[in-house]
Structures are given as C-alpha cells and as structure tokens.
Amino acid sequence: MNHALAIIPTYNEAENIAVVLRRVMEQPVDLNVLVVDDGSPDGTADIVRDIQSSYPGRIELLERPGKLGLGTAYLTGFAHALKDEYEIICNMDADLSHNPDDLPALINSIQTDQCDLAIGSRYIDGVRVVNWPLSRLILSYGAGFYTRMATRLPIRDVTAGFLVYHRRVLESVDLHAIRSNGYSFLIEMKYRTWKKGFRLFEIPITFTERTEGQSKMSRAIIREAAFKVWELRLRSIVKKL
C-alpha cells in the first residue's frame, strides 16, 4: 500500500503552485502529490508539468475541462487515492495559506493512531490567522459558531480545509451522496466522518491569507454553507445520512 497523498485543487494558481509543490516535496515524510486543475487559463497546469521532472513519479496532474468546484475536485482526488491504495490522504490549498511545514504533524497524528481525521485548526489554543481583516475574521468565527450550533460538531474549526484522512474514513463515508462544494463540502465531510463514529482531532496551525492570486470566496459559497448545515442535521435526524 502506498503511504500518503496530498490532494491540491487548483484554479488560476500560477503565482503560487511552484512554491507550494517544492515546499511539499521538501517535507521529511513519504508523500506524493496530486494536483487537480480545473482548466486554469493562467497556465497553472503547464507549471506543474515543468516541475514534475524534478520529482519523478511523485507529482501527478489531473486536468479537468473547466471550473467544476472544490468539492468535486476533492472527490475526484479521493477516488484516485483509494484506487492507488494510499493509506493517508491530505487536503490542502494551493495558495500557501496552509503551511506545508505543518504536514508532518498532521500526518503523524494519523500514523500514531491518535485519530482518523486530523484537522489543521485555526481556532484551537487561540486564534491563529495572519493578514485577515477584522471583518473576515468575525465572519469566519461567526460561521463556525453557527455551524457548531446547527450540527453539534465537537470541533472548533468546522470550516478548516487543511485535513488529513485515514483511508478507512473515505472507504466508509458515502462519497457518492455528497453534492456540496466550497466550505459546505468541508463541513459535510467532517460531519459525515463524525457521524460514522470516527475520531476527529484538531492540531493548531497558523493560517496565512494568500499574498498572490485571488481568493475563491464568494457570497454563493457562504449561502450554500449556511443552508447545508441544517440539511445535514435534518438528514441525520431522519436517519438518511
């Protein structure tokens, strides 16, 4: 069985992807990368192809025909990871908001059987966010409180995107039933993992807002997440989750 795979979705990340990939490759862990690119018009995929030759067999590129969303990118990556028999599957952003240097600690928590899903948390042991305006921090923190109230998820950072799963989680969760994208996808995966009885564990990280490229946050993403949490709770109550 292969060891660990980091799934990195990309759309117009030409300014960041080379640095991210090199830093991930430098980590002292047995780790490969799958980049899922949604037809980036800025040449992100070309940059990935250029870097692949420096790390033979360690960086894969999956190109999709257009912008299909974060959730479907991760679901595609999950299917790939399970098919290729990876034991540990990591989710992370391509914009350096997730520090690759935190990967060893997250992966180690799975290796040592502390948990089944390790969460790189911005809100455990204080608030660890750099370069966010106060309005964005209040929105994020408030969204977390709202989501915990609706779902009863026993974690602080419910919208965290820096995640490491043991493959048994992805084998048990009904991935074909997931239709959400964006933050709602991240919430739904944690919720389904928890409801299946798996162990969630938060590890403090420092989240740094991107300095290059544009954020993918939108009002539509926020609205989807706001409604999704109540749908998840209702489906759980009627035993359809």
Side-chain angles (χ1 to χ4, degrees):
M1 182 175 288
N2 291 318
H3 188 52
L5 179 71
I7 303 169
I8 305 179
T10 56
Y11 182 76
N12 284 350
E13 293 291 355
E15 295 170 298
N16 297 306
I17 192 61
V19 176
V20 170
L21 289 176
R22 291 193 179 101
R23 288 190 58 192
V24 171
M25 291 292 94
E26 291 169 356
Q27 298 306 312
V29 289
D30 182 6
L31 179 66
N32 293 340
V33 173
L34 171 66
V35 176
V36 182
D37 184 68
D38 273 5
S40 298
D42 70 347
T44 298
D46 293 331
I47 295 172
V48 175
R49 276 189 285 271
D50 288 342
I51 294 174
Q52 282 178 312
S53 60
S54 299
Y55 306 95
R58 295 190 62 196
I59 299 175
E60 298 181 76
L61 171 64
L62 195 159
E63 295 181 78
R64 304 200 298 175
K67 193 174 181 181
L68 302 177
L70 180 73
T72 62
Y74 277 130
L75 290 173
T76 297
F78 291 162
H80 182 93
L82 293 174
K83 176 178 66 70
D84 284 0
E85 298 188 339
Y86 282 96
E87 181 181 15
I88 296 172
I89 299 93
C90 314
N91 291 6
M92 64 183 299
D93 291 346
D95 59 7
L96 289 172
S97 57
H98 297 151
N99 187 343
D101 293 346
D102 290 321
L103 278 167
L106 291 166
I107 291 172
N108 182 66
S109 69
I110 301 291
Q111 289 177 316
T112 56
D113 199 34
Q114 296 179 61
C115 60
D116 305 296
L117 170 57
I119 301 166
S121 179
R122 299 163 292 184
Y123 303 128
I124 197 78
D125 295 338
V127 177
R128 298 166 179 265
V129 178
V130 177
N131 293 337
W132 265 7
L134 181 60
S135 59
R136 178 74 183 275
L137 182 59
I138 291 172
L139 175 63
S140 175
Y141 205 80
F145 177 81
Y146 171 87
T147 300
R148 291 195 303 275
M149 179 185 69
T151 64
R152 304 296 193 267
L153 264 168
I155 55 174
R156 299 293 299 174
D157 197 348
V158 292
T159 60
F162 201 1
L163 308 170
V164 178
Y165 298 88
H166 193 283
R167 69 175 285 119
R168 58 179 164 257
V169 173
L170 303 183
E171 290 172 330
S172 298
V173 170
D174 185 2
L175 300 177
H176 297 292
I178 297 176
R179 297 289 181 267
S180 53
N181 257 315
Y183 280 139
S184 61
F185 173 81
L186 299 172
I187 294 168
E188 183 167 358
M189 282 300 302
K190 296 182 191 72
Y191 189 72
R192 287 178 178 269
T193 299
W194 175 56
K195 294 300 288 185
K196 283 286 186 179
F198 290 110
R199 299 162 297 164
L200 283 61
F201 181 59
E202 291 182 272
I203 295 175
I205 64 162
T206 298
F207 179 96
T208 303
E209 175 66 350
R210 67 163 64 234
T211 58
E212 303 292 343
Q214 294 185 336
S215 171
K216 309 304 188 295
M217 172 67 75
S218 70
R219 290 183 179 178
I221 289 173
I222 296 171
R223 284 196 300 269
E224 181 189 20
F227 287 107
K228 176 60 70 172
V229 295
W230 292 108
E231 177 192 331
L232 292 171
R233 181 73 184 279
L234 180 60
R235 288 172 65 86
S236 176
I237 291 172
V238 299
K239 309 299 183 184
K240 290 188 176 180
L241 186 68

